Coordinates of all heavy atoms in Angstrom, one line a residue:
F1 N -18.3 -18.9 -10.2 CA -18.0 -18.8 -11.6 C -17.6 -20.2 -12.1 O -16.9 -20.9 -11.4 CB -16.9 -17.8 -11.8 CG -17.2 -16.4 -11.4 CD1 -16.7 -16.0 -10.2 CD2 -17.9 -15.6 -12.2 CE1 -17.0 -14.7 -9.7 CE2 -18.2 -14.3 -11.7 CZ -17.7 -13.9 -10.5
H2 N -18.1 -20.5 -13.2 CA -17.7 -21.8 -13.8 C -17.3 -21.7 -15.3 O -17.9 -20.9 -16.0 CB -18.9 -22.8 -13.7 CG -19.3 -23.1 -12.3 ND1 -18.6 -24.0 -11.5 CD2 -20.3 -22.6 -11.5 CE1 -19.1 -24.0 -10.4 NE2 -20.2 -23.2 -10.3
E3 N -16.3 -22.4 -15.7 CA -16.0 -22.4 -17.1 C -16.9 -23.4 -17.8 O -17.6 -24.2 -17.2 CB -14.5 -23.0 -17.2 CG -13.4 -22.1 -16.8 CD -12.1 -22.7 -17.1 OE1 -11.8 -23.8 -16.5 OE2 -11.3 -22.1 -17.8
P4 N -17.1 -23.2 -19.1 CA -18.0 -24.1 -19.8 C -17.7 -25.5 -19.7 O -18.6 -26.4 -19.6 CB -17.8 -23.6 -21.3 CG -17.3 -22.2 -21.2 CD -16.6 -22.2 -20.0
A5 N -16.5 -25.9 -19.5 CA -16.1 -27.3 -19.3 C -16.4 -27.8 -17.9 O -16.2 -29.0 -17.6 CB -14.6 -27.5 -19.6
G6 N -16.9 -26.9 -17.1 CA -17.3 -27.3 -15.7 C -16.2 -27.2 -14.7 O -16.4 -27.5 -13.5
K7 N -15.0 -26.7 -15.1 CA -13.9 -26.4 -14.1 C -14.2 -25.1 -13.5 O -14.6 -24.1 -14.1 CB -12.6 -26.4 -14.9 CG -12.2 -27.7 -15.5 CD -10.9 -27.6 -16.2 CE -10.5 -28.8 -16.9 NZ -9.3 -28.7 -17.7
D8 N -13.9 -25.0 -12.2 CA -14.0 -23.8 -11.4 C -13.0 -22.8 -11.9 O -11.8 -23.2 -12.0 CB -13.9 -24.0 -9.9 CG -15.1 -24.8 -9.4 OD1 -16.2 -24.6 -10.0 OD2 -15.0 -25.4 -8.3
L9 N -13.4 -21.6 -12.0 CA -12.5 -20.5 -12.3 C -11.9 -20.0 -11.0 O -12.6 -20.0 -10.0 CB -13.2 -19.3 -13.1 CG -13.6 -19.6 -14.5 CD1 -14.4 -18.4 -14.9 CD2 -12.4 -19.7 -15.4
A10 N -10.7 -19.5 -11.0 CA -10.1 -18.8 -9.9 C -10.8 -17.5 -9.7 O -11.0 -16.7 -10.7 CB -8.6 -18.6 -10.1
V11 N -11.3 -17.2 -8.6 CA -12.0 -15.9 -8.3 C -11.0 -14.9 -7.8 O -10.2 -15.2 -6.8 CB -13.1 -16.1 -7.3 CG1 -13.8 -14.7 -6.9 CG2 -14.1 -17.1 -7.8
N12 N -10.8 -13.8 -8.5 CA -9.9 -12.7 -8.0 C -10.6 -11.8 -7.2 O -11.6 -11.2 -7.6 CB -9.4 -12.0 -9.3 CG -8.5 -12.9 -10.1 OD1 -7.7 -13.7 -9.6 ND2 -8.6 -12.8 -11.4
Q13 N -10.1 -11.6 -6.0 CA -10.7 -10.6 -5.1 C -9.9 -9.3 -5.1 O -8.6 -9.4 -5.1 CB -10.8 -11.1 -3.7 CG -11.8 -12.2 -3.5 CD -11.9 -12.6 -2.1 OE1 -11.1 -12.4 -1.3 NE2 -13.0 -13.3 -1.8
V14 N -10.5 -8.2 -5.1 CA -9.9 -7.0 -5.2 C -10.2 -6.3 -3.8 O -11.3 -6.1 -3.5 CB -10.4 -6.0 -6.3 CG1 -9.8 -4.7 -6.3 CG2 -10.1 -6.7 -7.6
E15 N -9.1 -5.9 -3.1 CA -9.4 -5.2 -1.9 C -9.8 -3.8 -2.1 O -9.2 -3.1 -2.9 CB -8.1 -5.2 -1.0 CG -8.4 -4.5 0.4 CD -7.2 -4.7 1.3 OE1 -6.2 -5.3 1.0 OE2 -7.3 -4.0 2.4
V16 N -10.9 -3.4 -1.5 CA -11.4 -2.1 -1.7 C -11.1 -1.2 -0.5 O -11.3 -1.6 0.7 CB -13.0 -2.2 -1.8 CG1 -13.6 -0.8 -1.9 CG2 -13.3 -3.0 -3.0
T17 N -10.5 0.0 -0.7 CA -10.3 0.9 0.3 C -11.5 1.9 0.4 O -11.9 2.4 -0.7 CB -9.0 1.7 0.1 OG1 -7.9 0.8 0.0 CG2 -8.8 2.7 1.2
W18 N -12.1 2.0 1.5 CA -13.3 2.8 1.6 C -13.0 4.3 2.0 O -12.1 4.5 2.8 CB -14.2 2.2 2.7 CG -14.7 0.9 2.3 CD1 -14.2 -0.3 2.7 CD2 -15.7 0.5 1.4 NE1 -14.9 -1.4 2.1 CE2 -15.8 -0.9 1.3 CE3 -16.6 1.3 0.5 CZ2 -16.7 -1.5 0.5 CZ3 -17.5 0.6 -0.3 CH2 -17.5 -0.8 -0.3
Y19 N -13.7 5.1 1.3 CA -13.5 6.6 1.5 C -14.9 7.2 1.8 O -15.9 6.7 1.2 CB -12.9 7.3 0.3 CG -11.5 6.9 0.0 CD1 -11.2 5.8 -0.8 CD2 -10.4 7.6 0.6 CE1 -9.9 5.5 -1.1 CE2 -9.1 7.3 0.3 CZ -8.9 6.2 -0.5 OH -7.6 5.8 -0.8
A20 N -15.0 8.2 2.6 CA -16.2 8.9 2.8 C -16.0 10.4 2.5 O -14.9 10.9 2.9 CB -16.7 8.7 4.2
R21 N -17.0 11.0 1.8 CA -16.8 12.4 1.5 C -16.9 13.3 2.8 O -17.7 13.0 3.7 CB -17.9 12.8 0.5 CG -17.7 12.2 -0.8 CD -18.8 12.5 -1.8 NE -18.6 14.0 -2.1 CZ -19.1 14.5 -3.2 NH1 -20.0 13.8 -3.9 NH2 -18.9 15.8 -3.5
R22 N -16.1 14.3 2.9 CA -16.1 15.2 4.0 C -17.5 15.8 4.3 O -17.9 15.9 5.4 CB -15.0 16.3 3.9 CG -15.0 17.2 5.0 CD -13.9 18.2 4.9 NE -13.8 19.1 6.1 CZ -13.0 20.1 6.3 NH1 -12.1 20.3 5.3 NH2 -13.0 20.8 7.3
T23 N -18.1 16.2 3.2 CA -19.4 16.8 3.3 C -20.5 15.8 3.9 O -21.5 16.3 4.4 CB -19.9 17.4 2.0 OG1 -19.9 16.4 1.0 CG2 -19.0 18.5 1.5
T24 N -20.3 14.6 3.8 CA -21.2 13.6 4.4 C -20.9 13.5 5.9 O -21.8 13.4 6.6 CB -21.0 12.2 3.7 OG1 -21.3 12.3 2.3 CG2 -21.9 11.2 4.3
L25 N -19.6 13.5 6.2 CA -19.3 13.3 7.7 C -19.4 14.6 8.5 O -19.7 14.6 9.6 CB -17.9 12.8 7.8 CG -17.7 11.4 7.1 CD1 -16.2 11.0 7.1 CD2 -18.4 10.4 7.9
E26 N -19.1 15.7 7.8 CA -19.2 17.1 8.4 C -20.1 17.9 7.6 O -19.7 18.7 6.7 CB -17.8 17.7 8.6 CG -16.9 16.8 9.4 CD -15.4 17.4 9.3 OE1 -15.1 18.3 8.6 OE2 -14.6 16.8 10.1
T27 N -21.4 17.8 7.8 CA -22.4 18.5 6.9 C -22.2 20.0 6.9 O -22.7 20.6 5.9 CB -23.8 18.1 7.3 OG1 -24.1 18.4 8.6 CG2 -24.1 16.6 7.0
S28 N -21.7 20.6 7.9 CA -21.5 22.0 8.0 C -20.5 22.5 6.9 O -20.4 23.7 6.7 CB -21.1 22.5 9.3 OG -19.8 22.0 9.6
T29 N -19.7 21.6 6.3 CA -18.7 22.0 5.3 C -19.3 22.0 3.9 O -18.5 22.3 2.9 CB -17.5 21.1 5.4 OG1 -17.9 19.8 5.0 CG2 -16.9 21.2 6.8
R30 N -20.5 21.7 3.7 CA -21.1 21.7 2.3 C -21.0 23.1 1.7 O -21.2 24.1 2.3 CB -22.5 21.2 2.3 CG -22.6 19.7 2.7 CD -24.0 19.2 2.5 NE -24.0 17.8 2.8 CZ -25.0 17.1 3.3 NH1 -26.2 17.7 3.5 NH2 -24.9 15.8 3.6
G31 N -20.7 23.1 0.4 CA -20.6 24.3 -0.4 C -19.2 24.9 -0.4 O -19.0 25.9 -1.2
I32 N -18.3 24.5 0.4 CA -17.0 25.0 0.4 C -16.2 24.1 -0.6 O -16.1 22.8 -0.4 CB -16.3 24.9 1.8 CG1 -17.1 25.7 2.8 CG2 -14.9 25.4 1.7 CD1 -16.8 25.5 4.2
E33 N -15.6 24.7 -1.6 CA -14.9 23.9 -2.7 C -13.9 22.9 -2.2 O -13.9 21.7 -2.6 CB -14.2 24.9 -3.7 CG -13.5 24.1 -4.8 CD -12.7 25.0 -5.8 OE1 -12.5 26.2 -5.4 OE2 -12.4 24.5 -6.8
E34 N -13.1 23.3 -1.2 CA -12.1 22.4 -0.7 C -12.8 21.1 0.0 O -12.4 20.0 -0.2 CB -11.2 23.1 0.4 CG -10.2 22.2 1.0 CD -9.3 22.9 2.0 OE1 -9.0 24.1 1.7 OE2 -8.9 22.3 2.9
S35 N -13.9 21.4 0.7 CA -14.6 20.3 1.4 C -15.3 19.4 0.4 O -15.4 18.2 0.6 CB -15.6 20.9 2.4 OG -14.9 21.6 3.4
E36 N -15.8 20.0 -0.6 CA -16.6 19.2 -1.6 C -15.6 18.2 -2.3 O -16.0 17.2 -2.8 CB -17.2 20.1 -2.7 CG -18.3 21.0 -2.1 CD -19.6 20.2 -1.8 OE1 -19.8 19.1 -2.3 OE2 -20.4 20.8 -1.0
R37 N -14.3 18.5 -2.4 CA -13.3 17.7 -3.0 C -12.6 16.8 -2.1 O -11.7 16.0 -2.5 CB -12.3 18.5 -3.8 CG -12.8 19.2 -5.0 CD -12.9 18.3 -6.1 NE -13.4 18.9 -7.3 CZ -13.7 18.3 -8.4 NH1 -13.6 17.0 -8.5 NH2 -14.1 19.0 -9.4
E38 N -12.9 16.9 -0.8 CA -12.1 16.1 0.2 C -12.8 14.8 0.6 O -14.0 14.8 0.8 CB -11.8 16.9 1.4 CG -10.9 16.2 2.4 CD -10.3 17.1 3.5 OE1 -10.8 18.2 3.6 OE2 -9.5 16.6 4.3
V39 N -12.0 13.8 0.7 CA -12.6 12.5 1.2 C -11.6 12.0 2.4 O -10.5 12.4 2.4 CB -12.7 11.4 0.1 CG1 -13.7 11.7 -0.9 CG2 -11.3 11.1 -0.5
F40 N -12.2 11.2 3.2 CA -11.4 10.6 4.3 C -11.3 9.1 4.1 O -12.3 8.5 3.7 CB -12.0 10.9 5.7 CG -12.1 12.3 6.1 CD1 -13.3 13.0 6.2 CD2 -10.9 12.9 6.5 CE1 -13.3 14.3 6.6 CE2 -11.0 14.3 6.9 CZ -12.2 15.0 7.0
E41 N -10.1 8.6 4.3 CA -9.9 7.1 4.2 C -10.4 6.5 5.5 O -10.1 7.0 6.5 CB -8.5 6.8 4.0 CG -8.2 5.3 3.7 CD -6.8 5.0 3.3 OE1 -6.0 6.0 3.0 OE2 -6.5 3.8 3.3
L42 N -11.3 5.5 5.3 CA -11.8 4.8 6.5 C -10.9 3.7 6.9 O -10.3 3.1 6.0 CB -13.3 4.4 6.2 CG -14.3 5.5 5.8 CD1 -15.6 4.9 5.4 CD2 -14.4 6.5 6.8
E43 N -10.9 3.4 8.1 CA -10.0 2.3 8.6 C -10.4 0.9 8.1 O -9.6 0.1 7.8 CB -10.0 2.3 10.1 CG -9.3 3.5 10.7 CD -9.3 3.5 12.2 OE1 -10.2 3.8 12.8 OE2 -8.2 3.1 12.7
A44 N -11.7 0.8 7.8 CA -12.2 -0.5 7.3 C -11.9 -0.7 5.9 O -12.0 0.3 5.1 CB -13.7 -0.6 7.6
S45 N -11.6 -1.9 5.5 CA -11.4 -2.2 4.0 C -12.1 -3.5 3.8 O -12.4 -4.2 4.8 CB -10.0 -2.2 3.6 OG -9.3 -3.3 4.3
G46 N -12.4 -3.9 2.6 CA -13.0 -5.1 2.4 C -12.9 -5.6 1.0 O -12.3 -4.9 0.2
V47 N -13.5 -6.7 0.7 CA -13.4 -7.2 -0.7 C -14.8 -7.1 -1.4 O -15.0 -7.6 -2.5 CB -12.9 -8.6 -0.8 CG1 -11.5 -8.7 -0.3 CG2 -13.8 -9.6 0.1
N48 N -15.8 -6.6 -0.7 CA -17.2 -6.5 -1.3 C -17.3 -5.1 -1.8 O -17.5 -4.1 -1.1 CB -18.2 -6.7 -0.2 CG -19.6 -6.7 -0.7 OD1 -19.8 -6.5 -1.9 ND2 -20.6 -7.0 0.2
P49 N -17.4 -4.9 -3.2 CA -17.5 -3.6 -3.8 C -18.9 -3.0 -3.7 O -19.1 -1.9 -4.3 CB -17.0 -3.9 -5.2 CG -17.4 -5.3 -5.5 CD -17.3 -6.0 -4.2
V50 N -19.9 -3.6 -3.1 CA -21.2 -3.1 -3.0 C -21.1 -1.8 -2.3 O -20.5 -1.7 -1.2 CB -22.2 -4.1 -2.3 CG1 -23.6 -3.4 -2.1 CG2 -22.3 -5.3 -3.1
G51 N -21.7 -0.7 -2.8 CA -21.7 0.6 -2.2 C -20.6 1.5 -2.7 O -20.5 2.6 -2.3
C52 N -19.8 1.0 -3.7 CA -18.7 1.8 -4.2 C -19.4 2.9 -5.1 O -20.5 2.8 -5.5 CB -17.8 1.0 -5.1 SG -16.8 -0.1 -4.2
I53 N -18.6 4.0 -5.3 CA -19.0 5.1 -6.2 C -19.2 4.4 -7.6 O -18.3 3.7 -8.0 CB -17.9 6.2 -6.2 CG1 -17.8 6.8 -4.8 CG2 -18.2 7.2 -7.3 CD1 -16.6 7.8 -4.8
S54 N -20.3 4.8 -8.2 CA -20.4 4.3 -9.6 C -19.6 5.1 -10.5 O -19.5 6.3 -10.3 CB -21.9 4.3 -10.0 OG -22.4 5.6 -10.0
G55 N -18.9 4.5 -11.4 CA -18.1 5.2 -12.3 C -16.6 5.2 -11.7 O -16.3 4.5 -10.9
R56 N -15.8 6.1 -12.2 CA -14.5 6.2 -11.9 C -14.1 7.5 -11.4 O -14.5 8.5 -11.9 CB -13.6 5.8 -13.1 CG -12.1 5.9 -12.9 CD -11.4 5.6 -14.1 NE -11.4 4.2 -14.3 CZ -10.8 3.5 -15.2 NH1 -10.1 4.2 -16.2 NH2 -10.8 2.2 -15.3
C57 N -13.3 7.6 -10.3 CA -12.8 8.8 -9.9 C -11.3 8.6 -9.4 O -10.9 7.5 -9.3 CB -13.6 9.4 -8.7 SG -13.4 8.4 -7.2
H58 N -10.6 9.8 -9.3 CA -9.2 9.7 -8.9 C -9.1 10.3 -7.5 O -9.7 11.4 -7.2 CB -8.3 10.5 -9.9 CG -8.4 10.0 -11.2 ND1 -7.7 9.0 -11.7 CD2 -9.2 10.4 -12.3 CE1 -7.9 8.8 -13.0 NE2 -8.9 9.6 -13.4
I59 N -8.3 9.6 -6.6 CA -8.1 10.1 -5.3 C -6.6 10.4 -5.1 O -5.8 9.5 -5.3 CB -8.6 9.1 -4.2 CG1 -10.1 9.0 -4.4 CG2 -8.2 9.6 -2.8 CD1 -10.7 8.0 -3.4
V60 N -6.3 11.7 -4.8 CA -5.0 12.1 -4.7 C -4.7 12.3 -3.2 O -5.4 13.0 -2.5 CB -4.7 13.5 -5.4 CG1 -3.3 14.0 -5.2 CG2 -5.0 13.4 -6.9
K61 N -3.7 11.6 -2.7 CA -3.3 11.8 -1.3 C -2.3 13.0 -1.2 O -1.3 13.0 -1.9 CB -2.6 10.5 -0.7 CG -3.6 9.4 -0.6 CD -3.1 8.2 0.2 CE -4.2 7.2 0.4 NZ -3.8 6.1 1.3
A62 N -2.7 14.0 -0.5 CA -2.0 15.2 -0.4 C -2.2 15.9 0.9 O -3.3 15.7 1.6 CB -2.4 16.2 -1.5
P63 N -1.3 16.7 1.4 CA -1.5 17.4 2.7 C -2.5 18.5 2.7 O -3.1 18.8 3.7 CB -0.1 18.0 3.0 CG 0.6 18.1 1.7 CD 0.0 17.0 0.8
D64 N -2.9 19.0 1.5 CA -3.9 20.0 1.4 C -4.5 20.1 0.0 O -4.0 19.5 -0.9 CB -3.3 21.4 1.9 CG -2.1 21.8 1.1 OD1 -2.2 21.8 -0.1 OD2 -1.1 22.1 1.7
F65 N -5.6 20.9 -0.1 CA -6.3 21.1 -1.3 C -5.4 21.6 -2.5 O -5.4 21.0 -3.6 CB -7.5 22.0 -1.1 CG -8.3 22.3 -2.3 CD1 -9.1 21.3 -2.9 CD2 -8.3 23.5 -2.9 CE1 -9.9 21.6 -4.0 CE2 -9.0 23.8 -4.0 CZ -9.8 22.8 -4.6
E66 N -4.6 22.6 -2.2 CA -3.8 23.2 -3.3 C -2.7 22.3 -3.8 O -2.5 22.2 -5.0 CB -3.1 24.5 -2.7 CG -4.1 25.7 -2.5 CD -4.9 26.0 -3.8 OE1 -4.3 26.0 -4.9 OE2 -6.1 26.3 -3.8
S67 N -2.1 21.5 -2.9 CA -1.1 20.5 -3.3 C -1.7 19.5 -4.2 O -1.2 19.1 -5.2 CB -0.5 19.8 -2.1 OG 0.2 20.7 -1.3
A68 N -3.0 19.0 -3.9 CA -3.7 18.1 -4.7 C -4.0 18.6 -6.0 O -3.9 18.0 -7.1 CB -4.9 17.6 -4.0
R69 N -4.5 19.8 -6.1 CA -5.0 20.4 -7.3 C -3.8 20.6 -8.3 O -4.0 20.5 -9.5 CB -5.6 21.8 -7.1 CG -6.2 22.4 -8.3 CD -7.1 23.6 -8.2 NE -7.0 24.5 -7.1 CZ -7.9 25.4 -6.8 NH1 -8.9 25.5 -7.6 NH2 -7.7 26.2 -5.8
Q70 N -2.6 20.8 -7.8 CA -1.4 21.0 -8.7 C -1.1 19.7 -9.5 O -0.5 19.8 -10.5 CB -0.2 21.4 -7.9 CG -0.3 22.8 -7.3 CD 0.8 23.2 -6.4 OE1 1.9 22.5 -6.4 NE2 0.7 24.3 -5.8
V71 N -1.5 18.5 -9.0 CA -1.1 17.3 -9.8 C -2.3 16.8 -10.7 O -2.1 15.8 -11.4 CB -0.7 16.2 -8.8 CG1 0.5 16.5 -8.0 CG2 -1.8 15.8 -7.9
I72 N -3.4 17.5 -10.6 CA -4.6 17.1 -11.5 C -4.3 17.5 -12.9 O -4.1 18.7 -13.2 CB -5.8 17.7 -10.9 CG1 -6.1 17.3 -9.5 CG2 -7.0 17.4 -11.8 CD1 -6.1 15.8 -9.2
T73 N -4.3 16.5 -13.8 CA -4.2 16.9 -15.2 C -5.1 16.0 -16.1 O -5.6 15.0 -15.7 CB -2.7 16.5 -15.7 OG1 -2.5 15.1 -15.5 CG2 -1.7 17.4 -15.0
G74 N -5.4 16.5 -17.3 CA -6.1 15.8 -18.3 C -7.4 15.2 -17.8 O -8.3 15.8 -17.2
E75 N -7.6 13.9 -18.0 CA -8.8 13.2 -17.7 C -9.1 13.2 -16.2 O -10.3 13.1 -15.8 CB -8.8 11.7 -18.2 CG -8.9 11.6 -19.6 CD -10.2 12.0 -20.1 OE1 -11.3 11.6 -19.6 OE2 -10.3 12.7 -21.1
M76 N -8.1 13.4 -15.4 CA -8.3 13.4 -13.9 C -9.2 14.6 -13.5 O -9.9 14.5 -12.5 CB -7.0 13.5 -13.2 CG -6.1 12.3 -13.3 SD -4.5 12.6 -12.5 CE -4.9 12.6 -10.7
A77 N -9.2 15.6 -14.3 CA -9.9 16.8 -13.9 C -11.4 16.7 -13.9 O -12.1 17.4 -13.2 CB -9.5 18.0 -14.9
K78 N -11.9 15.6 -14.5 CA -13.3 15.4 -14.6 C -13.9 14.9 -13.2 O -15.0 15.3 -12.9 CB -13.7 14.3 -15.6 CG -13.4 14.8 -17.1 CD -13.8 13.7 -18.0 CE -13.5 14.2 -19.4 NZ -13.8 13.2 -20.4
S79 N -13.2 14.1 -12.6 CA -13.7 13.5 -11.3 C -12.5 13.1 -10.4 O -11.8 12.1 -10.5 CB -14.5 12.2 -11.6 OG -15.0 11.7 -10.4
W80 N -12.2 14.1 -9.4 CA -11.1 13.8 -8.5 C -11.5 14.3 -7.1 O -12.3 15.2 -6.9 CB -9.8 14.5 -9.0 CG -9.9 16.0 -9.0 CD1 -10.4 16.8 -9.9 CD2 -9.4 16.9 -7.9 NE1 -10.3 18.1 -9.6 CE2 -9.7 18.2 -8.3 CE3 -8.8 16.7 -6.7 CZ2 -9.4 19.3 -7.5 CZ3 -8.5 17.7 -5.9 CH2 -8.8 19.1 -6.4
Y81 N -10.8 13.7 -6.2 CA -11.0 14.1 -4.7 C -9.6 14.0 -4.1 O -8.7 13.4 -4.7 CB -11.8 13.1 -4.0 CG -13.3 13.1 -4.5 CD1 -13.6 12.2 -5.5 CD2 -14.2 13.9 -4.0 CE1 -14.9 12.2 -6.1 CE2 -15.5 14.0 -4.6 CZ -15.8 13.1 -5.6 OH -17.1 13.1 -6.1
F82 N -9.4 14.7 -3.0 CA -8.1 14.5 -2.3 C -8.4 14.0 -0.9 O -9.4 14.1 -0.3 CB -7.3 15.8 -2.3 CG -7.6 16.8 -1.2 CD1 -6.9 16.9 -0.1 CD2 -8.7 17.6 -1.3 CE1 -7.2 17.8 0.9 CE2 -9.1 18.5 -0.3 CZ -8.2 18.6 0.8
C83 N -7.3 13.4 -0.4 CA -7.4 12.7 0.9 C -6.2 13.1 1.8 O -5.0 12.9 1.3 CB -7.5 11.2 0.8 SG -7.5 10.3 2.3
R84 N -6.4 13.7 2.9 CA -5.3 14.0 3.9 C -4.9 12.8 4.7 O -3.8 12.7 5.2 CB -5.7 15.1 4.8 CG -6.0 16.4 4.2 CD -6.5 17.3 5.3 NE -7.5 18.3 4.7 CZ -7.2 19.6 4.7 NH1 -6.1 20.1 5.2 NH2 -8.2 20.4 4.2
G85 N -5.8 11.9 4.9 CA -5.5 10.7 5.7 C -6.8 10.1 6.3 O -7.9 10.2 5.7
Y86 N -6.7 9.4 7.4 CA -7.8 8.6 8.0 C -8.8 9.5 8.7 O -8.4 10.5 9.3 CB -7.3 7.6 8.9 CG -6.5 6.4 8.3 CD1 -5.2 6.4 8.2 CD2 -7.2 5.4 7.7 CE1 -4.5 5.4 7.5 CE2 -6.6 4.3 7.1 CZ -5.2 4.3 7.0 OH -4.6 3.3 6.4
F87 N -10.0 9.0 8.7 CA -11.0 9.7 9.6 C -11.1 8.9 10.9 O -11.3 7.7 10.9 CB -12.4 9.6 8.9 CG -13.5 10.3 9.7 CD1 -13.6 11.6 9.7 CD2 -14.4 9.5 10.3 CE1 -14.6 12.3 10.5 CE2 -15.4 10.1 11.1 CZ -15.5 11.4 11.2
I88 N -10.9 9.6 11.9 CA -10.9 9.0 13.3 C -12.0 9.6 14.1 O -12.1 10.9 14.2 CB -9.5 9.2 14.0 CG1 -8.4 8.6 13.1 CG2 -9.6 8.6 15.4 CD1 -7.0 8.9 13.6
Q89 N -12.9 8.8 14.5 CA -14.1 9.3 15.3 C -13.7 9.4 16.8 O -13.0 8.6 17.3 CB -15.3 8.4 15.2 CG -15.8 8.5 13.8 CD -17.1 7.7 13.6 OE1 -17.1 6.5 13.9 NE2 -18.1 8.3 13.1

């Protein structure tokens, strides 16, 4: 990035936490409402946003689906997922 005057701009990097949908990792869970809304946090993180979900979604960290659903309000209801924790292979 360059300013018009030729000075370099400071590049801000945003750390991206990667999540994978449960139905992608465990295909047998497709069609189950709880599984369709669950994501697993992956251990890897990075600063390259290529491959991110297009658009915006909300991820609620909760011990279970019902606990997550209780905190969903307003605009969050359009696109939300919940996460119990890390996916360990």
Side-chain angles (χ1 to χ4, degrees):
F1 299 99
H2 297 282
E3 289 183 303
K7 296 179 183 178
D8 288 335
L9 290 174
V11 176
N12 295 320
Q13 292 186 337
V14 176
E15 184 173 353
V16 177
T17 301
W18 296 100
Y19 293 89
R21 293 179 71 165
R22 180 177 182 179
T23 55
T24 300
L25 298 172
E26 299 174 351
T27 56
S28 64
T29 64
R30 288 186 180 153
I32 302 169
E33 182 183 13
E34 179 177 328
S35 297
E36 294 289 341
R37 290 280 181 190
E38 186 168 8
V39 294
F40 294 110
E41 186 172 347
L42 302 178
E43 292 182 279
S45 64
V47 293
N48 183 357
V50 174
C52 290
I53 296 172
S54 63
R56 178 180 280 181
C57 69
H58 300 277
I59 298 177
V60 177
K61 291 193 176 185
D64 56 53
F65 177 72
E66 289 302 322
S67 298
R69 188 169 23 193
Q70 290 176 11
V71 299
I72 301 303
T73 60
E75 288 294 313
M76 291 176 70
K78 291 180 181 177
S79 182
W80 67 275
Y81 297 92
F82 85 99
C83 179
R84 298 175 210 242
Y86 288 99
F87 180 76
I88 300 173
Q89 291 181 308

